[in-house]
Amino acid sequence: MPHRGRRKKRRTHVPEETQAANALISQEHLKVPKSVVIHRGHVSPVIQDLIHDLRRTLLPHTAMHLRANAKNRLKLKEYSKQFTSHFGVTHILCLSQTASNVFFRVARTPVGPTLSFNVRGYSLMRAVRSIQRRPYESDRLYRDSPIVVTNNFGDSASTQTVEPHVKLMRITFQNMFPAVNVASVKLSSCRRVVLFDYMKEDGEVEIRHYAIRATPVGMTRRVRRLVQSKIPNLGQLDDVADYLMGYGTGNVSDASDSEMEDETCQVVLPQNYNGRGNTKSSKSALKLVELGPRMRLKLVKVERGLGEGDVMYHAFVHKTEKEKQELKERIEKRELEKRRRREEQDRNVERKLKAQEEKKERKKKRQEERAKMAMDELRGMKDVEKQEEEGTSEDESDDNESESDDDSV
């Protein structure tokens, strides 16, 4: 009779090719930067919406639905211990709010550095869409990471001297997103752009977020609508040719043979791209549509560790070399004292645990001794009772013998 029911899987062997492929995928996965966006302390609902928009910008390598307590006061080092070891998080973005300012910190886990910014201005995604004539939004945009573009930061190829904190900002912003391999990248995965523009006049950084749209060129607008499966209204026309020629619509611009398009934005696609008509080797016009959010940041200070190390750069406080050395020595002394107290606390805890174990052993030994004494007493009482029973039986036998002798006489 055949076996019925759900088959139990018993094969546990994994082929070597599968093991090698999984190992390669895991190594590549570890190289991808991952980030979390959190807030510290109480923030307004608008800042919570800004956090949500930043998470959408960092998709897909971020925690979109991370929940935090409104009274959260954890330090960045404590966050790093929780996120880095378990989830492989490489960057922590933290927003905090006071009565008059909003602060934004970017920390590289697990050892730093930490960049602290003052948020001079921001606009949410919904505010950016509200001023656009044709806003564009699609969930497919966030399946792949955006392309990072840094402007006026003084790249490594430039000959001009760059201040260290400006170079550190550029490296930090670039490392927040996965690197693009030009030789193996798929063109269909390049759908978003994040722009970091450094304005040297006031030392501020402006962040913009765009979507890339491609439109086939070399055809009229009406033909393009048909190619892109946008069915027009033909109710007032006798033939589809009238629509293509522009008869009966009263719109002269639609009847023109070609659109007024900027040739600088036209490219020949090396691969198929998203959207109908954007095929390989065809010419398409690229257009950037802003998604939001917008942020305008001012770098305040750079710290060596996770918000607790010595200050490497400060925008408003300038110290001499002697003051920097004294501050460094004071921090090192504080760290040594903290480490000494921690070791002393560990020794005290170990000593107390050892004393507690010894107390438990003594208590257990006393209980065993009391149990043994009780058993000995119980055995002694049983022996006495047995002896008494034996003595009683002997007396009764003697009485019976004496009675039998009397009867015989």
Side-chain angles (χ1 to χ4, degrees), residues 53 122-132 291-294:
D53 293 348
Y122 61 90
S123 299
L124 301 179
M125 282 185 171
R126 63 171 181 262
V128 173
R129 287 196 298 268
S130 65
I131 62 175
Q132 292 177 338
L291 299 174
R294 299 178 182 177

Side-chain angles (χ1 to χ4, degrees), residues 89-140:
V89 172
T90 58
H91 292 82
I92 298 177
L93 285 69
C94 181
L95 278 162
S96 59
Q97 187 178 20
T98 62
S100 57
N101 290 311
V102 178
F103 295 98
F104 178 63
R105 290 193 293 175
V106 180
R108 179 69 168 89
T109 60
V111 294
T114 303
L115 281 69
S116 299
F117 297 92
N118 182 13
V119 181
R120 296 296 179 90
Y122 61 90
S123 299
L124 301 179
M125 282 185 171
R126 63 171 181 262
V128 173
R129 287 196 298 268
S130 65
I131 62 175
Q132 292 177 338
R133 183 179 179 184
R134 294 186 180 91
Y136 178 66
E137 182 68 25
S138 175
D139 292 336
R140 297 182 180 180

Side-chain angles (χ1 to χ4, degrees), residues 52-65:
H52 182 270
D53 293 348
L54 286 174
R55 289 174 180 174
R56 286 182 66 85
T57 305
L58 294 169
L59 283 175
H61 304 293
T62 188
M64 186 64 192
H65 302 288

Side-chain angles (χ1 to χ4, degrees), residues 264-282:
T264 59
C265 64
Q266 297 179 6
V267 295
V268 178
L269 300 177
Q271 301 176 13
N272 292 336
Y273 195 66
N274 303 281
R276 294 182 179 271
N278 299 317
T279 58
K280 183 178 179 181
S281 301
S282 64

Side-chain angles (χ1 to χ4, degrees), residues 85-209:
S85 58
H86 296 87
F87 307 106
V89 172
T90 58
H91 292 82
I92 298 177
L93 285 69
C94 181
L95 278 162
S96 59
Q97 187 178 20
T98 62
S100 57
N101 290 311
V102 178
F103 295 98
F104 178 63
R105 290 193 293 175
V106 180
R108 179 69 168 89
T109 60
V111 294
T114 303
L115 281 69
S116 299
F117 297 92
N118 182 13
V119 181
R120 296 296 179 90
Y122 61 90
S123 299
L124 301 179
M125 282 185 171
R126 63 171 181 262
V128 173
R129 287 196 298 268
S130 65
I131 62 175
Q132 292 177 338
R133 183 179 179 184
R134 294 186 180 91
Y136 178 66
E137 182 68 25
S138 175
D139 292 336
R140 297 182 180 180
L141 293 174
Y142 304 99
R143 294 180 181 178
D144 300 291
S145 300
I147 301 173
V148 181
V149 178
T150 57
N151 187 35
N152 294 330
F153 282 91
D155 297 336
S156 58
S158 61
T159 57
Q160 59 182 357
T161 58
V162 183
E163 296 180 354
H165 67 277
V166 177
K167 183 178 180 181
L168 181 60
M169 279 195 295
R170 176 179 62 82
I171 295 173
T172 303
F173 291 144
Q174 288 178 343
N175 292 338
M176 285 168 53
F177 301 89
V180 177
N181 189 354
V182 181
S184 61
V185 67
K186 291 184 178 180
L187 192 62
S188 58
S189 64
C190 303
R191 304 197 62 178
R192 290 186 294 143
V193 174
V194 177
L195 172 64
F196 297 93
D197 185 18
Y198 179 68
M199 291 167 285
K200 299 180 181 179
E201 294 79 10
D202 47 11
E204 296 181 358
V205 179
E206 189 170 6
I207 303 176
R208 297 289 187 96
H209 182 209

